[in-house]
Amino acid sequence: MPGMGPSTTTRQGCECMNAQKPVTIYEHADEVSSLQSVVDLVKLSDQYRQSAILHSALAQRVFDHTRQPVGAEALSDALGWVPNKGRIFLNALVAMGLLKRTAQGFENLPLSQRFLVSDSAEFIGPIIDHQRLQWHNWPRLDEVLRSRASLDFQQENRFKHDLAARDAFNDAMVRFSQPMVDVLRDLPLFDKARRVIDLAGGHGTYLAEIASRHPQVKGEVWDLEPTREAAAATFAKYRLDDRLGFHARNLLDLAQYQGERADVVMLNDCLHYFTREQVRTLIAGAAGMVEDDGALLVLSMALEDDEIHPALSADFSLHMMLNTHGSGGAHGGAGADRPLYPADRAEGCLMLRLLALHAAPLGDAAAQALDSLGSAAAAAGFSLQVSQKPAGQGPVDAVCLLLDSATPPGALNTLLSEAAGLCRNTALVLVRVQGTLAQLPSATGVIAQWQQASHGFLYPYPLDIASGQVPGVVIKDWLAGFAKFAAATKLWRSLDGLGLDEAARARQRPEMNHVNILTRDLEASKAFYSDILGANYCYNLGPRKAVMELNGFDFFIEQSESFSYPAGYHIGIRALPEDVRRIADQVTAAGTIKLVKGNGPAPGYHHGPDNVRSAVYFEDPDGLVIEVYSAEVEMIESNPRLLLDRL
């Protein structure tokens, strides 16, 4: 791509080399458009029409039919067109320079024959199909410009439910990579390399080509989970499954880099997703994995400091802003108000919205310190917004005050005053991101001032990540505790103003009373539910049915000779986290109770992505699956009874 080429840095000496810019499907990439007349403006406005014609022709495989001359009537009949309309369409393709018309009929020109015929080795159909699927995004540009949140049509949300769009994207990226393949695989730095890690390697084509050219190479693609399938398909296509693998990774979680070493580490066309500070963090983490005499290979589209040149990079920056909820640029300037990490879920499904406020611009060290916190928040389903401006943020569920030694006391006072309304009845916490304790504003004074100004709920355990050496598991555990606190205060706000009449009506609503469980051995089931879950036997309803009670909820156990439970059917028992752990240990120690996977990663005790929920699944004596779990953040924030468990 223009403005894009491999830059290699060796670990010793930091020598750099830039490979020759490859020939790509883009031309004149450095040119900024020059408009001279009103005609140019009209043509600019009408360019969508030619795109639509090309998209339609490719979708209907017109160019497959015109490899040899074909008449308009014959082609219209083959494609189900009205003949006179088909002729008009084909003539338009001639006028656009995609077909030629002779006495024998319509036929591809060399460019169309090379790139638009589906069985051509250089077919770019997947690229055009990917562009076609973005067609409806562009009229919503005004929404993107006004929204701080990730929108439903942007890639991180759309790909979760629109598999056709995801597959088209992966196919397009494979095609886009082809011009760089020959350049990369022939670089001499791979001649002696044994392990290669491709960061953001996606579909894995670069790594597969390198490994096929260099038989001693083994390697991994590190990328987000949705790209696993595409990478696996590529490795299978090249028959390199035994040498290449895929690891789901958030690249900004530096804890995952610890202990990893490789002869070549590749940063694969991903830097445009990140801010300038995050780019520095990512490059530093990647460089730290490089073996002595190894190399860091960076493949990226660059945008100059003026954020206009090269022209295609500026256009690409806008494209990324529209279609993703990343930094919105090819790692040009980083603003003071930006989403650090969007959650890995749609806006309407966010667990918590966290706002991190800072009174002075963040330095590189502070931005790097935030990376692990942002990664943990995104993985747990929270969004984390970083800003110097409390105004205009909209509703948030928790506010983190970032403290660093560069914060002037006056600026901190102003920030706290401006944030008072935003923080009212909201979970608050202090996070130290840079500087020593002696350099920081007095924590005691900050706490007193903040609470006085906002009437918020202050979490008593501040987070200290200024050293940059805090293990990821420590941050994850801290975030789980703070998330429970924030969810409880969120529910507290929802109860604000609730009167006695509303509370009385709530108590009169219908409620679940009992369930009926089937068994082949009534006494064995009574003993099981009593021993494992602590249920109490109440009385019998005849010789074949017993009434049991568990923490105020009745359930019946009824003897039956013939029954089976459908796949996926189960009952759920909510418990405190320590009881989930205890029951899991008891079930495991029994040795006779079958543990099952349920919604977990594997049979046995496990934590959810928010590190708050924990669960274990197992079967009762008759094969009924029982889920014992602790509440996740969503439950805590919406269930008044759980609020009593937490506060």
Side-chain angles (χ1 to χ4, degrees):
M1 289 185 181
M4 173 178 172
S7 173
T8 308
T9 301
T10 59
R11 189 167 179 84
Q12 294 184 346
C14 295
E15 298 175 356
C16 298
M17 67 175 182
N18 288 303
Q20 182 178 0
K21 174 182 165 184
V23 177
T24 74
I25 61 174
Y26 292 106
E27 298 295 338
H28 311 297
D30 297 334
E31 295 180 4
V32 176
S33 297
S34 177
L35 303 175
Q36 303 295 331
S37 69
V38 67
V39 175
D40 292 336
L41 293 175
V42 174
K43 286 182 178 179
L44 178 65
S45 174
D46 203 31
Q47 284 177 354
Y48 76 93
R49 179 168 50 88
Q50 292 185 326
S51 298
I53 294 170
L54 175 59
H55 291 171
S56 178
L58 197 69
Q60 298 179 79
R61 293 291 189 259
V62 169
F63 303 103
D64 287 2
H65 291 272
T66 51
R67 282 183 272 203
Q68 302 295 329
V70 60
E73 187 169 339
L75 184 54
S76 296
D77 184 61
L79 296 177
W81 296 343
V82 176
N84 66 314
K85 293 182 178 180
R87 180 179 296 277
I88 293 172
F89 184 64
L90 293 169
N91 285 334
L93 292 174
V94 173
M96 290 171 59
L98 295 171
L99 297 179
K100 65 180 179 180
R101 190 179 68 187
T102 66
Q104 289 75 36
F106 294 89
E107 185 180 0
N108 290 338
L109 285 168
L111 189 70
S112 301
Q113 189 75 13
R114 180 180 176 186
F115 293 112
L116 300 179
V117 174
S118 62
D119 58 3
S120 168
E122 298 179 277
F123 180 55
I124 64 167
I127 296 175
I128 295 175
D129 193 42
H130 171 55
Q131 293 168 332
R132 178 183 62 81
L133 289 171
Q134 295 173 336
W135 186 270
H136 297 292
N137 296 2
W138 286 100
R140 301 180 68 176
L141 179 58
D142 58 330
E143 294 180 55
V144 174
L145 291 170
R146 291 180 172 87
S147 177
R148 298 180 185 276
S150 176
L151 300 176
D152 59 349
F153 63 87
Q154 291 180 309
Q155 284 180 185
E156 61 269 16
N157 296 323
R158 184 177 184 180
F159 287 176
K160 294 174 184 176
H161 60 82
D162 189 342
L163 299 186
R166 186 197 67 186
D167 292 344
F169 171 80
N170 287 330
D171 288 345
M173 295 306 102
V174 171
R175 296 292 178 172
F176 270 128
S177 70
Q178 292 303 317
M180 290 299 303
V181 164
D182 292 339
V183 176
L184 286 176
R185 67 185 176 191
D186 292 332
L187 290 175
L189 58 92
F190 294 110
D191 290 344
K192 296 182 179 180
R194 294 194 172 276
R195 187 186 185 201
V196 177
I197 296 177
D198 189 359
L199 302 179
H203 47 78
T205 299
Y206 290 151
L207 185 59
E209 287 281 355
I210 291 165
S212 64
R213 173 71 171 78
H214 302 274
Q216 84 285 357
V217 165
K218 294 184 178 180
E220 304 114 45
V221 164
W222 289 15
D223 210 325
L224 298 177
E225 182 62 36
T227 61
R228 179 188 296 273
E229 186 176 333
T234 299
F235 300 156
K237 172 185 173 183
Y238 282 80
R239 299 182 179 179
L240 292 170
D241 312 65
D242 58 332
R243 291 165 51 200
L244 305 179
F246 179 93
H247 297 291
R249 294 284 191 272
N250 183 325
L251 299 186
L252 289 174
D253 185 355
L254 298 185
Q256 298 182 90
Y257 292 61
Q258 299 299 317
E260 297 283 359
R261 306 286 285 178
D263 301 295
V264 179
V265 177
M266 299 169 58
L267 266 170
N268 194 337
D269 193 24
C270 65
L271 299 183
H272 49 264
Y273 284 101
F274 305 113
T275 63
R276 189 182 299 274
E277 294 91 343
Q278 291 170 336
V279 167
R280 292 193 181 104
T281 296
L282 183 53
I283 291 176
M289 295 193 294
V290 177
E291 294 278 13
D292 293 341
D293 297 321
L296 172 64
L297 182 66
V298 179
L299 183 68
S300 181
M301 179 175 283
L303 185 63
E304 301 296 338
D305 288 341
D306 66 4
E307 300 185 1
I308 298 173
H309 297 90
L312 183 64
S313 292
D315 179 74
F316 182 70
S317 184
L318 178 63
H319 166 88
M320 292 301 299
M321 183 194 77
L322 176 79
N323 289 292
T324 73
H325 190 53
S327 63
H331 59 92
D337 190 19
R338 55 187 170 84
L340 180 62
Y341 286 90
D344 185 23
R345 56 178 63 198
E347 172 70 13
C349 301
L350 287 177
M351 290 193 201
L352 293 173
R353 293 170 178 81
L354 310 180
L355 174 64
L357 291 176
H358 55 107
L362 294 176
D364 291 345
Q368 183 172 346
L370 280 172
D371 284 337
S372 294
L373 177 60
S375 297
F382 313 148
S383 68
L384 177 61
Q385 175 87 21
V386 182
S387 179
Q388 286 183 253
K389 305 170 185 176
Q393 293 296 333
V396 296
D397 301 314
V399 177
C400 308
L401 181 61
L402 306 181
L403 297 179
D404 70 85
S405 56
T407 303
L412 182 60
N413 293 339
T414 300
L415 178 69
L416 292 174
S417 176
E418 292 176 349
L422 185 68
C423 298
R424 179 174 175 78
N425 289 340
T426 298
L428 313 173
V429 70
L430 300 176
V431 178
R432 186 165 72 93
V433 293
Q434 185 176 357
T436 65
L437 284 173
Q439 296 171 318
L440 292 173
S442 167
T444 303
V446 170
I447 292 170
Q449 183 181 357
W450 203 7
Q451 285 192 300
Q452 182 178 6
S454 67
H455 305 287
F457 295 91
L458 189 74
Y459 189 58
Y461 305 106
L463 177 64
D464 184 353
I465 52 177
S467 68
Q469 304 298 318
V470 182
V473 66
V474 173
I475 294 176
K476 186 177 180 182
D477 287 344
W478 177 88
L479 185 62
F482 180 60
K484 289 184 282 189
F485 182 84
T489 58
K490 183 177 180 180
L491 176 59
W492 182 271
R493 289 197 306 278
S494 73
L495 300 177
D496 189 24
L498 183 66
L500 294 178
D501 291 342
E502 290 92 340
R505 283 195 294 271
R507 287 196 298 270
Q508 295 170 4
R509 288 181 301 183
E511 62 181 10
M512 182 75 75
N513 178 261
H514 71 270
V515 296
N516 200 71
I517 295 171
L518 300 178
T519 182
R520 295 175 181 84
D521 186 332
L522 186 59
E523 294 304 316
S525 286
K526 286 165 56 179
F528 174 86
Y529 283 95
S530 177
D531 294 343
I532 300 299
L533 298 177
N536 298 309
Y537 168 73
C538 297
Y539 53 88
N540 265 50
L541 289 174
R544 299 173 64 85
K545 181 180 289 190
V547 178
M548 306 286 288
E549 178 272 336
L550 180 61
N551 198 19
F553 183 83
D554 294 343
F555 64 99
F556 301 164
I557 303 178
E558 182 176 2
Q559 188 161 327
S560 177
E561 304 307 325
S562 178
F563 63 90
S564 63
Y565 291 107
Y569 185 83
H570 70 282
I571 60 173
I573 310 294
R574 189 172 62 229
L576 293 174
E578 55 268 28
D579 288 328
V580 177
R581 175 87 258 188
R582 175 184 56 78
I583 292 171
D585 290 343
Q586 183 180 354
V587 168
T588 303
T592 57
I593 301 173
K594 182 179 179 181
L595 290 162
V596 294
K597 180 176 179 293
N599 291 326
Y605 176 82
H606 65 274
H607 278 285
D610 61 1
N611 207 32
V612 174
R613 170 189 162 87
S614 58
V616 63
Y617 293 79
F618 53 91
E619 291 184 356
D620 81 351
D622 296 281
L624 173 62
V625 174
I626 300 171
E627 174 191 6
V628 180
Y629 68 97
S630 62
E632 58 261 60
V633 167
E634 289 106 327
M635 289 185 176
I636 297 171
E637 71 183 36
S638 60
N639 190 319
R641 181 170 180 176
L642 287 172
L643 177 62
L644 300 178
D645 292 340
R646 300 298 173 183
L647 292 180

